[in-house]
Amino acid sequence: MILRRPWKVAVFGIIGIVVLIVIFAAAYINNIGFHKIKLMYTLGTTDKQIVLMDEKGNYLTEDRSVGLLLKERMSSKGWTYVRQEGANYFFEKGNESTIVTMRQWNHNYVIYHVKDNLVNIAD
């Protein structure tokens, strides 16, 4: 009887730890959102640098040379860099102009927002 009790304590302790891990993982996923976690996974496991988040013109990228990456991507789509004011980057193409706003998200990622979703900058 004495030997069974430490065994039960160990089993319930392990079960308690697993339950806490599941609760913290669920809270993290709930806070960030499952869709964004899938996008983060895509960026981490593929050679994609920018992925489309939604149809509103939001794009997700990792926080590495984001200003240079944005300028290169817009240039490849035919847009000319005009200027930067804070987090806003201004581009022109012919008679059109657009603003791309950068926002730091989750300390390792940046969200680009293309005004009116004029250009798709995703890979």
Side-chain angles (χ1 to χ4, degrees):
M1 187 107 172
I2 295 175
L3 294 177
R4 289 185 184 174
R5 185 171 263 170
W7 181 79
K8 288 180 182 180
V9 170
V11 168
F12 284 118
I14 291 171
I15 290 172
I17 290 171
V18 169
V19 167
L20 286 176
I21 290 171
V22 168
I23 288 171
F24 285 124
Y28 179 76
I29 290 171
N30 187 38
N31 185 32
I32 291 180
F34 186 71
H35 176 67
K36 289 179 183 173
I37 288 179
K38 289 190 323 187
L39 294 175
M40 291 166 40
Y41 179 77
T42 299
L43 286 172
T45 59
T46 65
D47 59 348
K48 293 183 178 186
Q49 293 180 311
I50 302 174
V51 292
L52 178 66
M53 292 179 69
D54 55 35
E55 299 302 320
K56 297 175 185 174
N58 292 314
Y59 299 85
L60 184 68
T61 187
E62 291 181 307
D63 187 13
R64 290 184 253 152
S65 303
V66 291
L68 182 61
L69 174 62
L70 176 62
K71 291 175 188 175
E72 289 174 354
R73 187 60 53 94
M74 291 295 283
S75 176
S76 72
K77 303 288 184 176
W79 291 83
T80 304
Y81 171 73
V82 178
R83 70 183 184 283
Q84 176 186 358
E85 291 181 12
N88 296 316
Y89 288 77
F90 295 83
F91 295 91
E92 291 179 347
K93 180 180 182 180
N95 296 346
E96 294 180 299
S97 65
T98 190
I99 303 169
V100 179
T101 304
M102 285 195 320
R103 178 172 51 113
Q104 187 73 35
W105 178 76
N106 198 8
H107 74 277
N108 288 327
Y109 297 91
V110 170
I111 295 176
Y112 295 129
H113 175 74
V114 179
K115 184 180 178 194
D116 299 327
N117 203 14
L118 286 178
V119 60
N120 183 352
I121 59 174
D123 290 329

